Amino acid sequence: EVQLVEAGGGLVQPGGSLRLSCAVSGFDFNTHSMSWVRQAPGKGLEWIAFLSSGSSSIYYADSVKGRFTVSRDDARNSLFLQMTSLTVEDTAVYYCARDTIRGSYLTDFWGQGTLVTVSS
Amino acid sequence: EIVLTQSPDTLSLSPGESATLSCRASQSVRTYLAWYQQKPGQAPRLLIYGASNRATGIPARFSGSGSGTDFTLTISSLEPEDFAVYYCQQRDIWPPVTFGQGTRLEI
């Protein structure tokens, strides 16, 4: 069974930093690209980062570029999102998601998410 | 950036009826369009990929169609568990990956 479990969310002050992690199981992590998607309270889905298998390709949404860094540790079956210079607009549930390839890339499994609240 | 516009924003129907949800892209995304269902407090779930392919375990009452800029998700004979928010997503021209704003399907 494919499982993705996010951790590391919580309350942080504006300007602060936070590191999210995503532990995966049930599939060969090192052969899959991964994405982070967030959802502000009551709002829609926003893609924020992509990391290919082997870390050869990394992409970010403009809204987080230069502030967020995605990485992976294949030995630990884990995905990470380092977030810095956080603002209230970064308040959201953060989902890690597995990508697969069906012609093009496709996000096929999602974790349950971890809530990040940026507030003073 | 590809903009996806979903319509309607909210759709009010009853169990047993059919639902038709629309997703329009600002430029062609060929058939690299997916549909996701999200229930309150839950993660999104993949329903349809490649515009018309049902994901594993998705009931046959869910179907997708379209190509280029106009796509449709049809849910025939609504079940109570189908009332949720539905998002389309394109993966043809990216980054960025983009989502529609969502359609809320309510009773």
Side-chain angles (χ1 to χ4, degrees):
Chain A
E1 179 189 6
V2 173
Q3 289 195 324
L4 303 93
V5 180
E6 302 92 338
L11 176 64
V12 60
Q13 291 189 335
S17 298
L18 210 56
R19 187 187 194 219
L20 306 184
S21 63
C22 174
V24 313
S25 60
F27 65 97
D28 291 329
F29 178 65
N30 62 346
T31 65
H32 281 267
S33 299
M34 301 291 292
S35 291
W36 286 97
V37 177
R38 69 183 180 183
Q39 186 170 37
K43 302 298 185 181
L45 300 168
E46 179 190 15
W47 168 84
I48 57 172
F50 168 89
L51 178 61
S52 68
S53 59
S55 301
S56 56
S57 296
I58 303 175
Y59 304 122
Y60 298 99
D62 287 346
S63 57
V64 306
K65 198 175 297 183
R67 301 188 299 122
F68 290 11
T69 302
V70 61
S71 62
R72 63 192 296 158
D73 184 337
D74 289 348
R76 294 164 56 191
N77 283 352
S78 294
L79 180 72
F80 304 98
L81 185 68
Q82 178 69 48
M83 306 184 295
T84 64
S85 303
L86 287 162
T87 72
V88 294
E89 286 75 33
D90 296 315
T91 294
V93 173
Y94 285 73
Y95 296 101
C96 74
R98 187 183 86 163
D99 282 350
T100 191
I101 295 179
R102 302 281 173 86
S104 180
Y105 284 95
L106 170 69
T107 299
D108 62 351
F109 284 98
W110 304 61
Q112 284 303 303
T114 187
L115 176 63
V116 172
T117 303
V118 184
S119 175
S120 55
Chain B
E1 173 178 327
I2 303 288
V3 176
L4 298 178
T5 303
Q6 294 185 238
S7 61
D9 289 332
T10 303
L11 186 58
S12 299
L13 293 170
S14 300
E17 294 187 298
S18 292
T20 301
L21 287 66
S22 175
C23 177
R24 176 163 288 178
S26 58
Q27 63 187 85
S28 176
V29 297
R30 295 184 284 179
T31 58
Y32 297 118
L33 187 109
W35 290 94
Y36 298 88
Q37 176 194 66
Q38 188 179 33
K39 298 179 181 180
Q42 296 186 18
R45 176 175 71 145
L46 176 66
L47 298 176
I48 301 287
Y49 66 93
S52 62
N53 302 289
R54 271 190 306 277
T56 302
I58 301 304
R61 64 181 182 273
F62 291 90
S63 63
S65 64
S67 66
T69 61
D70 291 296
F71 301 88
T72 300
L73 174 69
T74 302
I75 314 171
S76 62
S77 191
L78 286 163
E79 298 285 345
E81 62 266 28
D82 299 336
F83 292 90
V85 179
Y86 292 83
Y87 294 95
C88 56
Q89 179 213 53
Q90 69 84 21
R91 213 64 191 265
D92 185 19
I93 300 173
W94 67 282
V97 179
T98 51
F99 291 89
Q101 82 278 13
T103 290
R104 180 178 305 276
L105 178 57
E106 63 177 28
I107 297 177

